[in-house]
Amino acid sequence: MRLLKANITIIIAVSMVSAIGGLVFNTMPILLGTAGEAFGFNNAELGNLSLMAGVGYLAGTLTGPLWVDSFQWQKTAFFIILAVAFSFLVSMGLPRDYIYFGFLVFGFFCALAIALAMRVLADMPDPERAYGTRLSVELLSIGLFLVFLPSFFVSNAGFTGAMFGMAVFTIFLGIGVCAFPKHSTSKTVEKLKGFPSWRKSGSSWSVLLIFTIYLLANVGLFFFLYIIAQKFSPTDAQNGMMFGVLKWLGGGAGVLGAIIGAKAGLRMPHLYAFLILIVGVIGLFTAKNFTIFMISSWIWEFGFTLGCLYQTAAIVRFDVSNKLVVLVPMSFGISMIFGGKIAGRLLEGGSTSSLYMLVFICSLLPSILIFLTKPNPVDNNEFLGG
C-alpha cells in the first residue's frame, strides 16, 4: 500500500511537469488571437506563428532520446521549468518581427518537459494508470487555467498578460518537481531502442501516418477556434468558459476511453469518435450564436480526444515491438507546424467551410483504415471486437 501511494504521488508530480509541455498546444488559440490583436497579424501570419511553435516543439521532441537518460531527472526537470517560464517572460517584450523567435523557443522548451515526463512514466508498473493520470492532470489543470487566462490575464494586458500568465502557471505546475524521481529504476530504456520495419509492423506505421493527417486538420481547427468565435463578439469571460470546459471535457473523454477502451474492441470506437466529432463540426458550421458555437466546440473536442486515444491504442496493438507509440508526440509536433499554417491559409478566403470540410475528410480516414486493416496473426481476439 505504501509503495502504491508513492507511485501515485510520483505519477501526479510527473504529470504536472508534463502539463507544462501541453501548454504550448492547449493555449495556442488564445495565444494566436491575442498576438493577432497586439501585432496586427492576418490569419496567414498567425499560421506562421503556430508553425514556428511547432518547429520548436518538434525539435525538442526529437532531441529527447539523445539526453533523457543521460542526466539526473529531477535536476533536469528543474532546469526545463525555469527555461520555459523564462521564455514566456522574454516573449512579453519582443517586438513584432521577433515574436516568431519567441514562439520557436518556448515551443522547444515545452517539448523538453513532455519528453522527460513521457520517459519517466514509462518506468511506472501500471502504464494505463500512469498515462491516464497524466492525461487527466494535464487537461483538467489546463482547463482550469484557460478559465482565467482570457478573463484575467488577457483582459488586463492582452498578449503581454497572456505570456505573463503562462509563466506564472508554469511555475505553479513546476511544484511537481519536488516529488520528481532522480533516475530510472528499470531497464525500459533498452526496450525503446530502434523501431520495427514496415514488414513487421506495416499496419501500425499506417495508423501512425493517418493519425498525423487526422491531427493536421483538427489541430488547425483548434488553433483558430478562438479567432473563428470572434464573429459572435464573445466576452473574455465567455472565451474563458469555452476553452476551460473544452479541456475539461477532453480530460473526461480520455478517462472514459481508458476505462471502456479494452471492452469496446478496436474498430467501432473509431467510428463512434468520428460521429461525435462530426456532430460538433456541423454545430460549429451552422451556429447562429456563441452559445451554440461553444457547445458545439465541446462536442467536437470530446470526439477529437476520443479519436486521439483510440488511434494511439491502435498504433500499439498493431505493433509487434510496442515501440512506435513513442513517435506519437512527433505527430503532434508535425501537426503544430503544418496544421495552423494550412488552417490559416484556408481561412484567408474569408470562409470557414473549406476548413470544416478538411476536418471532415481527415477525421473519416482513421475509421476507413481501421475497418480495412487486417490484424497481425499475433493479435488477440479482443482487437477484432466491435
Side-chain angles (χ1 to χ4, degrees), residues 33 117 245:
V245 176

Side-chain angles (χ1 to χ4, degrees), residues 55-335:
V55 169
Y57 184 90
L58 180 60
T61 299
L62 294 178
T63 65
L66 302 178
W67 57 265
V68 74
D69 282 289
S70 301
F71 303 99
Q72 204 252 42
W73 283 348
Q74 190 175 44
K75 291 181 180 179
T76 303
F78 182 73
F79 167 78
I80 293 172
I81 292 164
L82 292 181
V84 172
F86 183 72
S87 66
F88 284 132
L89 292 175
V90 169
S91 296
M92 290 172 56
L94 291 177
R96 187 182 194 275
D97 293 339
Y98 291 93
I99 195 62
Y100 293 98
F101 181 72
F103 272 62
L104 175 73
V105 172
F106 69 64
F108 176 82
F109 285 119
C110 282
L112 298 187
I114 200 168
L116 177 60
M118 293 291 281
R119 170 63 189 94
V120 175
L121 290 177
D123 273 8
M124 295 298 104
D126 189 340
E128 290 187 1
R129 174 180 294 171
Y131 289 107
T133 301
R134 169 193 165 271
L135 179 64
S136 300
V137 170
E138 177 176 327
L139 293 181
L140 295 178
S141 63
I142 292 178
L144 180 62
F145 175 58
L146 286 173
V147 173
F148 295 99
L149 183 60
S151 61
F152 181 76
F153 293 102
V154 172
S155 63
N156 285 315
F159 178 76
T160 299
M163 289 290 101
F164 181 74
M166 298 282 277
V168 169
F169 193 57
T170 295
I171 297 300
F172 171 75
L173 291 171
I175 296 173
V177 76
C178 297
F180 215 87
K182 295 181 179 180
H183 51 75
S184 176
T185 57
S186 76
K187 299 180 180 180
T188 303
V189 64
E190 298 178 2
K191 300 177 183 179
L192 295 176
K193 293 180 180 179
F195 298 106
S197 66
W198 179 273
R199 183 180 62 82
K200 292 183 177 180
S201 297
S203 296
S204 189
W205 281 107
S206 297
V207 175
L208 180 65
L209 174 61
I210 294 298
F211 180 50
T212 304
I213 296 174
Y214 172 87
L215 288 175
L216 281 172
N218 284 281
V219 167
L221 172 59
F222 175 68
F223 281 179
F224 282 88
L225 202 59
Y226 176 95
I227 294 171
I228 296 172
Q230 299 317 298
K231 67 181 180 180
F232 299 110
S233 300
T235 64
D236 289 329
Q238 287 176 316
N239 281 323
M241 176 179 289
M242 180 174 75
F243 284 102
V245 176
L246 191 88
K247 291 295 110 180
W248 293 338
L249 285 175
V255 173
L256 176 64
I259 293 174
I260 69 173
K263 301 177 181 178
L266 176 63
R267 293 187 170 95
M268 290 307 295
H270 291 268
L271 181 59
Y272 298 148
F274 168 73
L275 292 176
I276 295 172
L277 182 151
I278 290 305
V279 168
V281 170
I282 293 174
L284 292 173
F285 180 65
T286 59
K288 301 299 182 182
N289 55 60
F290 181 75
T291 299
I292 296 177
F293 186 89
M294 177 173 63
I295 294 174
S296 298
S297 74
W298 297 343
I299 297 172
W300 164 79
E301 168 72 11
F302 196 88
F304 172 51
T305 304
L306 279 180
C308 290
L309 176 64
Y310 285 119
Q311 288 173 69
T312 300
I315 291 171
V316 175
R317 291 174 175 176
F318 283 129
D319 181 18
V320 296
S321 71
N322 203 31
K323 297 176 183 178
L324 283 179
V325 71
V326 302
L327 293 180
V328 167
M330 180 193 70
S331 295
F332 276 94
I334 293 174
S335 70

Side-chain angles (χ1 to χ4, degrees), residues 203 266-267 317-318 370-381 383-385:
S203 296
L266 176 63
R267 293 187 170 95
R317 291 174 175 176
F318 283 129
I370 289 298
F371 277 94
L372 293 179
T373 299
K374 294 182 179 180
N376 294 324
V378 296
D379 290 336
N380 295 329
N381 289 335
F383 303 157
L384 301 173

